[in-house]
Structure formats: structure tokens, C-alpha cells
């Protein structure tokens, strides 16, 4: 049963902002979490991605912070009262944008800080004073140590995508940050999956939390149509083009397991004629933001990314997700395909499986608790004409080239006449005759007859020295005796 936002006791500025965004009915996680947060209780929220967790904690936090709303320009009147921690820069920017939209009719301030960019603009924003601070753990610690972020008046803490923060090693940073905060606070922990580590973290920093689960842990959205195609590694790119054509898909995410593989695949798909951009950790923050913006604006067809884009990115109306590589961690499959079929919309998830992925597929079956049926994809004859590089420093001919070769063979022609070995020289009849001894010669050979007469002691063939007049007479070496 759906529940409208109008049934909540939200302030008029918040109700107006929600209406401007086109939201009418709450999702299950929102319907259960918002009343609990409004009551000031700690929450552990488990919901699959794309179910509206951001609004589930943002709206009640802003509602409770309205009592601190002020028109004063003094930074001292705008201390940080709510802290939202996220694992990646993209998620931090996305959540900060949504918080600004919800609070646009209020006088509450918000900002975002994250690594990979200069701290000076962030310091200027913090010095103006903000009530809601969205941050990644590493950059927040930098501001704390620089004393540009003061957290002694924080009333609400949100740990969003907490399992991802633990996966990438943020647990020590989280513990340091939480130790800077007041003991009396409301803590909200949201995640798509709950692991034993997450539960231990919750037991340490949450006080009697209310557990809210709107879906089975590690479940995939029922609105996503899932396909697993068994094929060779060399056919993966062709499979992406084939599925895009068969299902008439305009845009899609393509996930790889490595940064190097992501960059190479993006370049290869670009050469295939698809507008493509890449998103991975080796790109600068500015490049990553530009790639996301281009994909959101529909300027590119495919966003090829590592799992840095698998968590929480909310891009509306993305019809498909391709798993070019089966994820190393089965839980990442849930997050990847959560980029499509969001907020009740339908979507397609395609996983390209090779024979070497048996172990990873076994782990995925354990997670999903179901037997995965592998399908075979029928390819159309869409290979480009001419010679194609298969990526292994080899050149192969397409079917058209093979047909041309058959015609040449029927005509007795070679494919590369310029490479034909040179023709043999015509035979000389002299060399084919048998050897005959010459008759005895009574006269000397002609070359001997022309030789100069021999002088005693010299060969007849040695040319005598020319007599040249001497300029100076050689000195007489005899000594006269007086």
C-alpha cells in the first residue's frame, strides 16, 4: 500500500520542495524510516539500492534542524549540526545536491567536502557556516586536523553505504571521526547489505537502533530483467552491440573489474562507433564529474566504469547495465544492477560469462540463493568489412574477405601478387652442352702475343719503370782523397 508524502507532518518548505521534485508517494524505506528518525531514534536501514534512502534520512533531518534556522549571516550561528559520511566523491556530490534541493525553501545551509580537489574553496564554504556537512572520511579528517571543520555541536550522523566504507578500508577513519562527535547524538546507518562487520560497528556506535529491512538482504530488484550469456572472451564487445540493437537500448552502464580494463574497453567501444566515456579511480575528480555529467545529459551512450560507480549513483532512466566482467565480490553484483530499474522502473541487467568464471558464478548463486541459467546469444552478421585486429597483435579477415579470396582462387590469382616470387631466368643452351676438351694450340694465346718482350730476370707482364728527368742530380757519395 502506497503512502503519500502529504501524510507526513513535514514543514511547508519541505513539502513544497518535495512537490517540486515530483515526488508523490513514499518508497517502503521512506515510509518506515522517516517517522522513526523524526522521533529521534537511531536507525539501521537495510534496503537495496535505488529505493530512496537519501530522502529517508535527509527529509527528517532537515525537519528537526528547522528549529535552528536563522537568517543571520554570522558563521557562528550556523555550526555543523548534521554530518553525512559517504565512501566516494560521486556519492557525496549526489547526496549534497539532493540535500540542497530539499532545503532550498529554508535558510539551512549545506556543503560537501571530498578529496581530489583543492581544499581552499572548501575551507571558504566551511568558514561561512553550514548546518549540514556531506563528506568523505579522508577529506573530513584533513579539515578536522586543519581546524576548519568543528564538529562539537553535531546532533545527527548518517553513515550511508556503510558496507562499502568498510570494504575500502575506512573503518579506522570512521572510528576517529566518531570520537570527535558528542556522545549524545542520533546515528543513522544505511546500507544495501549487512555484514557481520557492519553489525559490530552498529553495536559500538548506535544506541538501541531500530532495524528496518524492506527487502531480503542482498536481494535484487524484481523490476530488473536479468540475463547471463555464456560466450568467448573475444565476443564480449560484439555481445554488447548485439544486445543494444536487439533491445533498442539508448544508454547503459558497463562495469569492469579493473581500471586498466575499463580504459581499454572504453577506447575499443568508441572505435566501434558508440559514444563512450570512462569512469575509474585513475581519473581526476574533474574528469570524473565531467564524465558523469555527459552521461546524465545523454551526450554519451555508454558509461564504462569500475565499481566506483556501482554504489548509490542515482541517474534516472538508465535502461540497462552490462557486467562485462563478473564481479570479484558477489555483493557488488547487487549494487551494479541497482543502477537500473530504480524507483520502480524496469531495467535490463546483462552479465557476460566465460568458462573461466565458474567460481565467481558459484559465489553469486550462493548470494542470490538461486540457480543461474546460462543463455546463448545469437549474433547477426554485423562484422565490419576488411581486416580486423583481434586485439592479440593478429589480423584476421572477415567473411567478405574470405569470399573474395575464394573468387581469386577460382581465377588462379593470388591475394598479394606483389609478393609473388620472381620468375626464373631463361635457360642458356651453352650451359646445357656437355664438356669438350679444347684442341691443342700451336700458337701462344693472344694475350701472350701482345705481351712485351721479357727482359732478363723480369716477367714479360711487368711494366718497366718510366724514365723521368731528375730535377736535381743525386749527390756523389764517393769521397775524394787529397
Amino acid at each position: 500500500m502506497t503512502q503519500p508524502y502529504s501524510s507526513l507532518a513535514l514543514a511547508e518548505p519541505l513539502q513544497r520542495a518535495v512537490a517540486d521534485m515530483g515526488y508523490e508517494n513514499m518508497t517502503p524505506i521512506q515510509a518506515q524510516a522517516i517517522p522513526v528518525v523524526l522521533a529521534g531514534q537511531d536507525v539501521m536501514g537495510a534496503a537495496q539500492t535505488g529505493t530512496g534512502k537519501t530522502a529517508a534520512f535527509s527529509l527528517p533531518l532537515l525537519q528537526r534542524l528547522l528549529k535552528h534556522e536563522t537568517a543571520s549571516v554570522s558563521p557562528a550561528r550556523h555550526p555543523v549540526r548534521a554530518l553525512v559520511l559517504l565512501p566516494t566523491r560521486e556519492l557525496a556530490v549526489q547526496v549534497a545536491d539532493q540535500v540542497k534541493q530539499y532545503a532550498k525553501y529554508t535558510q539551512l545551509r549545506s556543503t560537501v567536502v571530498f578529496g581530489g580537489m583543492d581544499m581552499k574553496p572548501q575551507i571558504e564554504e566551511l568558514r561561512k557556516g553550514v548546518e549540514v556537512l556531506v563528506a568523505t572520511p579522508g577529506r573530513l579528517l584533513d579539515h578536522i586536523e586543519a581546524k576548519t571543520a568543528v564538529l562539537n555541536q553535531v546532533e545527527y550522523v548518517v553513515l550511508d553505504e556503510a558496507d562499502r566504507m568498510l570494504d575500502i578500508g575506512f573503518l579506522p577513519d570512521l572510528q576517529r571521526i566518531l570520537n570527535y562527535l558528542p556522545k549524545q547524538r542520533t546515528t543513522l546507518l544505511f546500507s544495501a547489505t549487512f555484514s557481520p562487520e557492519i553489525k559490530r560497528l552498529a553495536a559500538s556506535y548506535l544506541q538501541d537502533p531500530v532495524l528496518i529491512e524492506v527487502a531480503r538482504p542482498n536481494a535484487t530488484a524484481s523490476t530488473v530483467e536479468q540475463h547471463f550469456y555464456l560466450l568467448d572472451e573475444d565476443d564480449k564487445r560484439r555481445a554488447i552491440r548485439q544486445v543494444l540493437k536487439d533491445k533498442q537500448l539508448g544508454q547503459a552502464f558497463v562495469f569492469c573489474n579493473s581500471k586498466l580494463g575499463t580504459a581499454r574497453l572504453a577506447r575499443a567501444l568508441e572505435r566501434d562507433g558508440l559514444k563512450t566515456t570512462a569512469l575509474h579511480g585513475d581519473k581526476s575528480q574533474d574528469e570524473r564529474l565531467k564524465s558523469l555529467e555527459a552521461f546524465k545529459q545523454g551526450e554519451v551512450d555508454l558509461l564504462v566504469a569500475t565499481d566506483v560507480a556501482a554504489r548509490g549513483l542515482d541517474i534516472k532512466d538508465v535502461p540497462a547495465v552490462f557486467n562485462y566482467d563478473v564481479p570479484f565480490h558477489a555483493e557488488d553484483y547487487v549494487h551494479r544492477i541497482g543502477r537500473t530499474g530504480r524507483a520502480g522502473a524496469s531495467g535490463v541487467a546483462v552479465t557476460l560469462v566465460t568458462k573461466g568464471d565458474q567460481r565467481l558464478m558459484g559465489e553469486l548463486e550462493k548470494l542470490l540463493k538461486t540457480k543461474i541459467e546460462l543463455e546463448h546469444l545469437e549474433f547477426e552478421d554485423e562484422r565490419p568489412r576488411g581486416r580486423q585486429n583481434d586485439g592479440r597483435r593478429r589480423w584476421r579477415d572477415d567473411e567478405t574477405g574470405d569470399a573474395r579470396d575464394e573468387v581469386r582462387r577460382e581465377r588462379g590469382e593470388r591475394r598479394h601478387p606483389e609478393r609473388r616470387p620472381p620468375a626464373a631466368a631463361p635457360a642458356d643452351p651453352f650451359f646445357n652442352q656437355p664438356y669438350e676438351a679444347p684442341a691443342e694450340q700451336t700458337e701462344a694465346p693472344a694475350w701472350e702475343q701482345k705481351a712485351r718482350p721479357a727482359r732478363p730476370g723480369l716477367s714479360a707482364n711487368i711494366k718497366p719503370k718510366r724514365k723521368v728527368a731528375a730535377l736535381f742530380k743525386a749527390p756523389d757519395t764517393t769521397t775524394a782523397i787529397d
Side-chain angles (χ1 to χ4, degrees):
M1 180 178 179
T2 59
Q3 187 174 351
Y5 275 101
S6 58
S7 63
L8 294 174
L10 293 178
E12 189 275 336
L14 298 180
Q15 290 279 14
R16 191 160 26 129
V18 170
D20 287 351
M21 298 177 70
Y23 299 156
E24 297 180 358
N25 298 318
M26 291 184 288
T27 63
I29 185 65
Q30 294 169 355
Q32 296 187 43
I34 290 177
V36 176
V37 180
L38 287 174
Q41 294 179 274
D42 288 4
V43 170
M44 281 185 66
Q48 59 200 30
T49 58
T51 55
K53 294 193 298 294
T54 303
F57 63 76
S58 298
L59 289 174
L61 287 187
L62 293 172
Q63 173 75 16
R64 292 181 66 87
L65 292 179
L66 285 176
K67 61 184 179 182
H68 301 297
E69 186 181 20
T70 177
S72 173
V73 295
S74 172
R77 300 295 300 274
H78 299 275
V80 178
R81 299 188 183 276
L83 175 64
V84 183
L85 295 174
L86 298 117
T88 65
R89 311 164 192 173
E90 288 76 20
L91 278 177
V93 172
Q94 177 178 290
V95 170
D97 289 343
Q98 291 188 330
V99 170
K100 283 185 180 294
Q101 292 183 56
Y102 294 137
K104 65 180 179 180
Y105 295 120
T106 72
Q107 295 178 352
L108 298 174
R109 301 177 181 179
S110 64
T111 192
V112 58
V113 297
F114 50 83
M117 299 188 71
D118 189 6
M119 286 181 62
K120 291 182 180 179
Q122 299 175 0
I123 291 174
E124 293 177 1
E125 289 294 321
L126 290 172
R127 285 176 175 170
K128 294 177 183 178
V130 294
E131 280 84 9
V132 181
L133 176 58
V134 183
T136 55
R139 178 47 61 93
L140 179 59
L141 283 174
D142 294 338
H143 284 287
I144 292 174
E145 293 173 357
K147 301 187 184 304
T148 54
V150 181
L151 307 178
N152 57 5
Q153 296 190 54
V154 170
E155 301 175 9
Y156 304 94
V157 179
V158 180
L159 305 178
D160 196 10
E161 300 290 346
D163 56 343
R164 179 61 173 169
M165 285 194 280
L166 266 61
D167 288 343
I168 58 181
F170 276 145
L171 180 59
D173 291 345
L174 287 177
Q175 293 172 334
R176 288 180 60 192
I177 292 170
L178 293 173
N179 289 334
Y180 282 105
L181 306 180
K183 299 296 182 183
Q184 296 299 321
R185 64 176 187 266
T186 300
T187 305
L188 314 176
L189 189 151
F190 288 87
S191 177
T193 59
F194 276 164
S195 63
E197 292 80 8
I198 292 293
K199 294 179 180 179
R200 284 195 292 269
L201 178 67
S204 300
Y205 295 101
L206 275 66
Q207 299 177 359
D208 299 324
V210 176
L211 179 61
I212 299 176
E213 292 184 284
V214 298
R216 179 172 58 85
N218 302 325
T220 57
S222 59
T223 57
V224 178
E225 177 186 344
Q226 301 178 54
H227 296 278
F228 297 85
Y229 292 117
L230 180 63
L231 36 73
D232 294 332
E233 185 73 27
D234 294 340
D235 289 330
K236 284 187 174 183
R237 274 168 46 204
R238 193 180 175 198
I240 292 176
R241 299 195 304 268
Q242 186 69 46
V243 174
L244 289 174
K245 180 179 179 181
D246 291 346
K247 297 186 177 296
Q248 299 181 350
L249 301 173
Q251 282 189 309
F253 281 97
V254 183
F255 286 104
C256 299
N257 286 343
S258 68
K259 293 179 284 189
L260 181 60
T262 298
R264 287 178 173 174
L265 178 61
R267 290 194 297 266
L269 292 172
E270 189 77 26
R271 289 194 299 268
D272 290 341
L274 297 170
K275 296 179 180 179
T276 308
T277 187
L279 182 64
H280 53 79
D282 282 348
K283 283 184 170 287
S284 67
Q285 183 59 30
D286 186 54
E287 290 174 327
R288 290 162 69 170
L289 293 177
K290 287 181 179 179
S291 295
L292 275 177
E293 187 61 27
F295 189 68
K296 290 179 180 179
Q297 298 299 326
E299 298 173 2
V300 295
D301 303 323
L302 301 178
L303 178 62
V304 185
T306 58
D307 286 320
V308 71
R311 300 291 183 116
L313 284 183
D314 187 12
I315 302 178
K316 296 181 180 179
D317 303 325
V318 178
V321 167
F322 288 89
N323 290 309
Y324 188 84
D325 297 320
V326 179
F328 290 137
H329 304 287
E331 293 82 0
D332 288 334
Y333 176 80
V334 179
H335 298 289
R336 288 181 178 186
I337 71 171
R339 300 311 99 214
T340 186
R342 299 180 69 82
S346 60
V348 178
V350 175
T351 302
L352 308 179
V353 185
T354 63
K355 294 180 180 179
D357 296 326
Q358 294 180 357
R359 182 183 60 83
L360 297 177
M361 291 300 295
E363 294 179 358
L364 185 56
E365 289 180 339
K366 290 181 183 178
L367 180 77
L368 301 179
K369 297 181 179 179
T370 183
K371 178 65 175 177
I372 296 176
E373 298 294 335
L374 299 180
E375 308 172 46
H376 292 277
L377 184 62
E378 296 293 333
F379 292 107
E380 294 180 5
D381 185 11
E382 58 174 16
R383 296 182 181 179
R385 299 172 64 88
R387 304 178 70 207
Q388 301 299 316
N389 193 322
D390 63 1
R392 299 181 180 178
R393 297 186 179 182
R394 297 181 307 182
W395 291 88
R396 61 186 181 189
D397 297 320
D398 61 5
E399 294 176 2
T400 306
D402 293 341
R404 289 196 297 266
D405 285 348
E406 185 65 27
V407 173
R408 291 191 184 97
R409 283 193 293 271
E410 291 177 358
R411 295 177 179 176
E413 300 176 359
R414 295 178 61 90
R415 177 158 187 165
H416 301 288
E418 67 278 8
R419 298 181 183 176
R420 183 177 300 167
D428 189 344
F430 174 79
F431 291 97
N432 296 330
Q433 295 177 0
Y435 173 76
E436 295 181 0
E440 292 187 6
Q441 296 182 354
T442 57
E443 297 181 358
W447 63 271
E448 288 187 2
Q449 294 177 3
K450 293 180 181 180
R452 295 180 181 85
R455 289 187 298 173
L458 292 178
S459 170
N461 297 313
I462 295 180
K463 184 178 179 181
K465 293 183 179 180
R466 290 183 59 188
K467 292 182 180 182
V468 181
L471 296 178
F472 300 100
K473 185 179 180 180
D476 189 2
T477 56
T478 60
T479 303
I481 301 176
D482 294 337

